[in-house]
Amino acid sequence: MFSNLSHITFANKWVLYLIPAVWAIAGLWWYFLSKHNYPTLRLSTTAAFAGNGTPFKATLKKLLPVFRVLALSALLVAIARPQTSYDEEKVTTEGIDIVLAIDVSTSMLAKDFSPNRLEAAKKEAMNFADGRPHDRLGLVIFSGESFTQCPVTIDHAIIKNQLKQIKNGLMEDGTAIGMGLATAVQRLKELNSKSKVVILMTDGVNNKGLIDPVTAADIAMQFGVRVYTIGIGSNDKAMTPVAMTPSGELIFDYTDVQIDEALLKDIAKKTGGQYFRANDNKRLKQIYAQIDKLEKTKIEVSAFEHKTEKFFAFALLAIVFVSLEILFRYLIVKSIP
């Protein structure tokens, strides 16, 4: 009867303030009634009344007025019109499909970012995913070749988990920018979304791959894919892996940072995107925030409030209390006129 009464509200809340008044009046009536001086009859013994009446009936008779007060209280709650309500939102989105294409070549382990370029890129990519709850995201990694780490999906937990798994050495070393971009476009071209975006991040110059970066940009333009390119690396020299010991340990030394900015700018311009240069962690964070503002998802939210009346249960309870009083008064504890 009283299930689902959580988050209950009252249409006529002021009526509830009458309930304490009812109990206060009943208490005062009970008090003055108990102080009333009834006629007394003195007897030498009560043996003649032994077995006549029961303590239960006597107690029940005293409690009969309580049923009436309970009935009135329940009736007042019903008049206050208890209601349960819940809000419902219908969200209509014009989502954006975004593929993150991240360079995982050995140079991405350079320490001009904290702790290195690759880990900084992974961290900001995950933060970016958190800020795009209504968009589908995919993940492509590339070095000397390219690989789809995660197809386009709305499940951002999968994307973030795959970002965590990214590391250097998963494929042939090198920098195949054209292959990375082409693979990202391949993930998007069959989708029917209103907007398709690739965010491509690299720290080097194209030196590997079967597809030229300019050709990949032409393919992106053909399929309506907008490409934002990010050159990641400091403006001068950086502590970069230059060799590896027989045991597999990397040897670092300061080397010049070489980013083909002209190529990255050309790719961005041709596809309607924009080029950014990230020279430290703070700037990389700002770039992702800027892209987030440039690529806003269209969201339409319609709000509905549903209310359900719950007064019937309390009205029924009032009837039950009145019925109990009548039953006990005239059938169990009836008095002799």
Side-chain angles (χ1 to χ4, degrees):
M1 182 187 299
F2 296 99
S3 61
N4 301 321
L5 292 184
S6 58
H7 309 294
I8 196 167
T9 58
F10 293 89
N12 303 318
K13 191 174 182 179
W14 63 270
V15 178
L16 297 176
Y17 295 110
L18 298 177
I19 296 176
V22 168
W23 282 92
I25 293 171
L28 289 173
W29 177 81
W30 188 288
Y31 174 77
F32 286 113
L33 190 65
S34 64
K35 293 293 184 180
H36 185 73
N37 293 322
Y38 292 98
T40 58
L41 176 65
R42 295 181 180 272
L43 299 172
S44 59
T45 178
T46 58
F49 297 95
N52 293 339
T54 65
F56 168 74
K57 288 185 177 182
T59 303
L60 186 59
K61 187 173 183 179
K62 293 179 180 179
L63 292 176
L64 287 178
V66 175
F67 288 105
R68 193 172 303 178
V69 176
L70 289 172
L72 184 55
S73 299
L75 184 60
L76 288 172
V77 173
I79 294 173
R81 290 181 57 197
Q83 302 170 333
T84 55
S85 64
Y86 68 93
D87 298 328
E88 179 181 320
E89 286 188 348
K90 182 180 180 182
V91 179
T92 304
T93 65
E94 190 176 287
I96 301 173
D97 289 337
I98 302 172
V99 172
L100 305 171
I102 299 178
D103 188 346
V104 295
S105 59
T106 302
S107 60
M108 285 290 285
L109 300 178
K111 297 181 179 180
D112 49 351
F113 283 66
S114 177
N116 57 50
R117 294 172 185 170
L118 183 57
E119 291 303 317
K122 289 163 58 176
K123 176 184 177 182
E124 295 308 326
M126 283 189 277
N127 291 337
F128 181 78
D130 286 336
R132 315 288 302 194
H134 302 292
D135 296 322
R136 293 187 296 183
L137 300 178
L139 179 60
V140 167
I141 57 175
F142 65 94
S143 51
E145 51 191 334
S146 63
F147 175 75
T148 300
Q149 183 81 359
C150 182
V152 177
T153 177
I154 194 63
D155 191 340
H156 291 187
I158 294 177
I159 287 289
K160 292 174 69 174
N161 184 60
Q162 290 301 313
L163 279 165
K164 292 176 183 177
Q165 304 303 318
I166 292 177
K167 59 182 179 179
N168 170 254
L170 295 175
M171 58 188 79
E172 179 187 356
D173 202 18
T175 305
I177 297 174
M179 292 291 291
L181 178 55
T183 302
V185 173
Q186 179 71 26
R187 296 294 94 196
L188 290 169
K189 70 175 188 176
E190 302 297 334
L191 303 178
N192 58 358
S193 53
K194 295 283 185 180
S195 186
K196 304 172 186 178
V197 172
V198 171
I199 301 175
L200 185 144
M201 181 184 300
T202 182
D203 68 343
V205 178
N206 187 76
N207 55 24
K208 287 284 183 72
L210 301 175
I211 301 178
D212 181 73
V214 176
T215 302
D218 290 335
I219 296 172
M221 184 174 60
Q222 179 182 351
F223 287 103
V225 177
R226 189 161 47 257
V227 183
Y228 292 94
T229 54
I230 301 174
I232 181 169
S234 58
N235 296 324
D236 192 7
K237 293 179 180 291
M239 184 68 75
T240 309
V242 294
M244 183 180 292
T245 65
S247 62
E249 185 178 353
L250 291 172
I251 299 174
F252 287 79
D253 196 4
Y254 281 100
T255 62
D256 293 325
V257 176
Q258 295 181 336
I259 300 174
D260 194 343
E261 292 193 286
L263 172 64
L264 297 180
K265 288 178 181 178
D266 183 56
I267 293 172
K269 183 178 180 181
K270 183 175 290 188
T271 60
Q274 192 171 333
Y275 169 70
F276 302 92
R277 176 64 184 269
N279 47 30
D280 57 29
N281 292 71
K282 182 179 179 180
R283 178 57 184 152
L284 182 59
K285 186 180 186 70
Q286 291 172 346
I287 289 170
Y288 267 108
Q290 192 170 346
I291 295 174
D292 184 56
K293 291 179 180 178
L294 289 170
E295 294 293 339
K296 276 298 180 186
T297 302
K298 181 181 178 182
I299 304 174
E300 294 180 0
V301 180
S302 301
F304 305 91
E305 184 179 46
H306 300 266
K307 289 185 178 293
T308 304
E309 297 284 350
K310 295 293 182 179
F311 70 89
F312 178 76
F314 293 97
L316 183 60
L317 191 60
I319 295 173
V320 169
F321 285 134
V322 170
S323 300
L324 287 174
E325 183 193 0
I326 294 173
L327 177 66
F328 292 146
R329 183 179 297 278
Y330 295 103
L331 295 181
I332 300 177
V333 293
K334 58 183 179 180
S335 303
I336 298 175

